[in-house]
Amino acid sequence: MSLILPRIYCASIATETNTFSKLTTDLSDFKNSFFAEPKKHPPTPTLCSAIFPLLRNLQKKKKIRLTEGTATWAEPGGLINSKTWNFLKNKVLNEIKNAGNLDIILLGLHGAMISNNCNDCEADLIDNIRQIVGTKIIIGATFDPHSHISNKILKNLNIITVFKKFPHTDYVETARECIKLSIKTFENKILPIISIYDVRMITILPTNKNPMKKFINKIKKIEKNKNVLSISIIHGFMAGDSPDLGAKIITIMDKDQKYGKSLSKKLGDELFSMRKNLAPKMFSANTAVLKAKKLSKNCSKPVLIADIWDNPGGGVAGDSTILIKKAITMDLKKVAVGSIWDPLAVNLCHEAGEGQYIDLKFGSKSSLNAGGIIKERILVKKIAKNVFQKFGKSLVPLGNSASIEFKNLEIVLNTNRSQAFSIDIFTLLGIDIKSKKILIIKSTNHFYNSFFPFVSNIIYASVNGIYPNNPKKNNYKNLKRKIWPIYENPFK
Ligand SMILES: [Zn+2]
């Protein structure tokens, strides 16, 4: 360790913008999800701000000198308004200007943030930081793989690390790697050179299953080689109309640019060759519910249906009632649903109180194709204020919540849009999932690790609704590159 302690500033601004979503994202969305002023970051990490607690730890051990900046995250939604983006960006830029001399700047970013005045917010932020601090300061950043990584982002970065896993359970590891490599760069122990390869495809890539599971293990082995500092896979985010949409391979080599380029291409070609087998098998709403009904008859554990597109983590409301209505029509028993975003219905349940029967209209209030509102006389089973579900070490706010019961269905209603990250979404609202036959949740894949031990089968339901889940039909205006599956052979 060098005797000169690196002077480090850190900040985190993150969200994932669904440019097709009708929900807008403004400062109140950041404040409702997560907003920590400098030095106010909680001791627990969030998905994109895991650098904070790790850096604090290094500061405690007297290995660095730390200046903490702002950290904020908004639950994914539609375009950020320009006022909000300018405010957040300038807040961080002013903090850097006032931080005195710095050696390293570390950022916890997502990489799919788009505002109505900027279609590459991360590049805009990093570019402005570079202009302030000059070329000698090291800038490192962590990203989510559901991002659009442009050359403009990479141009001004020394280090980039990206969650390898989806579910992103390795966010702390990713932050640790970014800090380690940035400090080594400062100490002149390495000379990082970043290469990127455009894989020209978009799909979903869960890493808890093959072929991605094997591919990630292979990459981790390659990372152990001398001169290979880091390898990242960008999955891309199909709901963000960005010129840079799509999968990429990013490698960081120590000095060796030639190998970095060839390795990025080699891994990219391998990923492209697997493109048709990467996404999980998906079923229509009707087939998914029928399948669950059949399977649940012979299973001691409940069958899980994941409503993968009505996932607030992808920028939609998370209030679709399509699967619930199918369950009612098919007269399914012992069903639990987590959750439906409906602040008004939650308020009414809280006003009524536990154990009361009320007439309630809930769900499907944000769009015309989310199944339609459900009107029922329901029992308010449990109410709870400021509920947080766990995702690894991170705490995700559900806001005030309630569980309701009718026709042998139990449904969780919440006020802060959030996907189902863990079984907490049921247990904290008094629902015993072991007593259920079928669980319906809103999440693409982050639910997996928590739910897997408690369910017999997982059915991925592709419910057509408000999410732009078919790249061939999405009306992209900014995406000009050819990518699969829009083009069968995008490299021609
Ligand atoms: Zn992600």
Side-chain angles (χ1 to χ4, degrees):
M1 188 89 195
S2 157
L3 286 173
I4 309 158
L5 297 185
R7 293 160 295 187
I8 301 181
Y9 163 88
C10 64
S12 175
I13 310 177
T15 190
E16 183 183 49
T17 305
N18 175 340
T19 56
F20 299 90
S21 176
K22 296 282 178 281
L23 306 161
T24 54
T25 305
D26 65 20
L27 196 55
S28 68
D29 295 293
F30 283 91
K31 293 205 164 164
N32 288 337
S33 293
F34 173 70
F35 198 97
E37 289 286 353
K39 294 187 182 174
K40 300 285 182 202
H41 193 287
T44 49
T46 74
L47 192 64
C48 295
S49 71
I51 49 172
F52 276 70
L54 294 175
L55 288 169
R56 269 184 202 163
N57 219 359
L58 289 177
Q59 157 108 322
K60 246 187 239 162
K61 291 179 183 163
K62 299 197 166 30
K63 290 188 171 170
I64 61 165
R65 283 172 285 175
L66 181 63
T67 304
E68 289 187 27
T70 300
T72 185
W73 155 264
E75 185 63 21
L79 287 171
I80 305 173
N81 65 38
S82 51
K83 203 174 149 195
T84 300
W85 171 238
N86 291 341
F87 170 79
L88 293 173
K89 177 178 70 177
N90 289 327
K91 194 170 189 313
V92 165
L93 297 179
N94 285 329
E95 286 166 9
I96 292 172
K97 283 177 194 160
N98 295 328
N101 290 332
L102 293 167
D103 300 305
I104 301 173
I105 291 173
L106 290 170
L107 304 167
L109 303 173
H110 185 290
M113 195 158 51
I114 299 179
S115 72
N116 54 18
N117 62 335
C118 181
N119 70 11
D120 192 347
C121 292
E122 287 83 0
D124 183 27
L125 175 70
I126 298 166
D127 194 33
N128 274 286
I129 293 175
R130 189 53 90 195
Q131 282 176 36
I132 294 169
V133 300
T135 51
K136 287 187 182 149
I137 306 301
I138 290 134
I139 306 179
T142 63
F143 284 85
D144 185 294
H146 300 113
S147 48
H148 320 290
I149 301 298
S150 62
N151 290 330
K152 206 179 158 203
I153 287 178
L154 296 180
K155 186 181 80 182
N156 289 307
L157 278 183
N158 300 89
I159 297 293
I160 170 171
T161 62
V162 181
F163 314 143
K164 282 190 174 58
K165 294 181 180 171
F166 177 37
H168 307 325
T169 47
D170 59 335
Y171 56 92
V172 176
E173 245 170 278
T174 305
R176 189 174 292 123
E177 208 49 33
C178 184
I179 295 169
K180 189 185 90 186
L181 292 173
S182 299
I183 294 178
K184 275 190 168 182
T185 310
F186 164 74
E187 293 170 340
N188 285 320
K189 288 180 179 162
I190 53 171
L191 180 65
I193 295 175
I194 302 175
S195 299
I196 184 165
Y197 180 74
D198 184 356
V199 190
R200 292 182 177 260
M201 58 173 234
I202 187 74
T203 180
I204 49 173
L205 296 82
T207 61
N208 48 292
K209 286 185 171 65
N210 284 329
M212 278 307 282
K213 196 175 174 179
K214 268 191 187 163
F215 193 55
I216 295 292
N217 287 338
K218 177 179 172 169
I219 279 173
K220 282 187 172 174
K221 269 187 199 154
I222 302 174
E223 277 181 328
K224 290 196 175 114
N225 291 344
K226 200 175 165 264
N227 296 346
V228 181
L229 300 175
S230 174
I231 303 172
S232 298
I233 304 165
I234 301 298
H235 300 194
F237 179 55
M238 68 175 76
D241 184 5
S242 154
D244 297 286
L245 187 157
K248 316 268 168 70
I249 301 283
I250 296 171
T251 58
I252 313 181
M253 295 292 144
D254 189 8
K255 301 178 193 82
D256 195 344
Q257 183 167 34
K258 206 175 157 198
Y259 180 46
K261 275 192 170 175
S262 67
L263 180 64
S264 303
K265 182 180 182 324
K266 192 170 164 256
L267 293 171
D269 288 344
E270 188 176 341
L271 185 64
F272 188 78
S273 74
M274 299 186 287
R275 65 197 175 282
K276 290 176 184 166
N277 302 316
L278 296 167
K281 194 166 167 48
M282 298 173 221
F283 299 92
S284 70
N286 211 46
T287 311
V289 179
L290 269 174
K291 237 175 128 56
K293 185 180 181 181
K294 211 171 157 189
L295 286 167
S296 67
K297 280 181 186 153
N298 305 315
C299 291
S300 55
K301 290 179 181 177
V303 175
L304 180 109
I305 305 176
D307 190 350
I308 63 166
W309 302 122
D310 189 38
N311 167 10
V316 296
D319 69 349
S320 160
T321 57
I322 294 170
L323 290 172
I324 302 175
K325 286 192 169 175
K326 297 241 177 259
I328 295 172
T329 313
M330 291 184 203
D331 197 28
L332 300 189
K333 307 286 182 212
K334 298 186 181 177
V335 178
V337 183
S339 62
I340 296 287
W341 176 61
D342 194 331
L344 179 60
V346 172
N347 273 349
L348 293 170
C349 291
H350 278 239
E351 278 171 18
E354 289 177 3
Q356 299 301 308
Y357 283 87
I358 56 169
D359 293 325
L360 190 70
K361 293 180 185 174
F362 70 92
S364 190
K365 289 173 184 168
S366 65
S367 82
L368 295 173
N369 47 0
I373 291 172
I374 295 179
K375 301 172 200 168
E376 288 285 347
R377 185 153 186 84
I378 60 98
L379 167 69
V380 180
K381 213 184 154 205
K382 188 170 170 64
I383 54 173
K385 285 194 170 169
N386 287 323
V387 181
F388 286 85
Q389 58 175 332
K390 274 203 187 118
F391 182 53
K393 287 179 181 168
S394 173
L395 294 168
V396 185
L398 291 166
N400 290 352
S401 306
S403 60
I404 60 170
E405 190 178 339
F406 65 97
K407 292 182 178 162
N408 232 319
L409 268 83
E410 287 188 77
I411 297 176
V412 175
L413 307 172
N414 64 318
T415 46
N416 265 51
R417 283 187 308 114
S418 175
Q419 65 181 295
F421 281 105
S422 71
I423 60 163
D424 293 354
I425 206 160
F426 291 114
T427 52
L428 295 172
L429 273 302
I431 296 174
D432 173 18
I433 57 171
K434 285 181 187 154
S435 69
K436 299 297 168 195
K437 283 281 180 198
I438 295 171
L439 305 176
I440 299 174
I441 57 157
K442 313 272 184 188
S443 177
T444 311
N445 204 42
H446 283 328
F447 68 87
Y448 191 88
N449 291 15
S450 173
F451 279 89
F452 182 74
F454 298 96
V455 299
S456 59
N457 294 275
I458 295 172
I459 298 168
Y460 293 85
S462 178
V463 181
N464 290 324
I466 50 171
Y467 191 87
N469 58 334
N470 185 348
K472 284 180 176 176
K473 288 187 182 165
N474 296 347
N475 191 14
Y476 296 119
K477 298 228 162 52
N478 295 316
L479 172 66
K480 307 271 199 259
R481 293 154 36 250
K482 286 184 179 177
I483 62 166
W484 177 86
I486 303 171
Y487 292 87
E488 199 43 49
N489 188 350
F491 291 99
K492 257 193 180 164

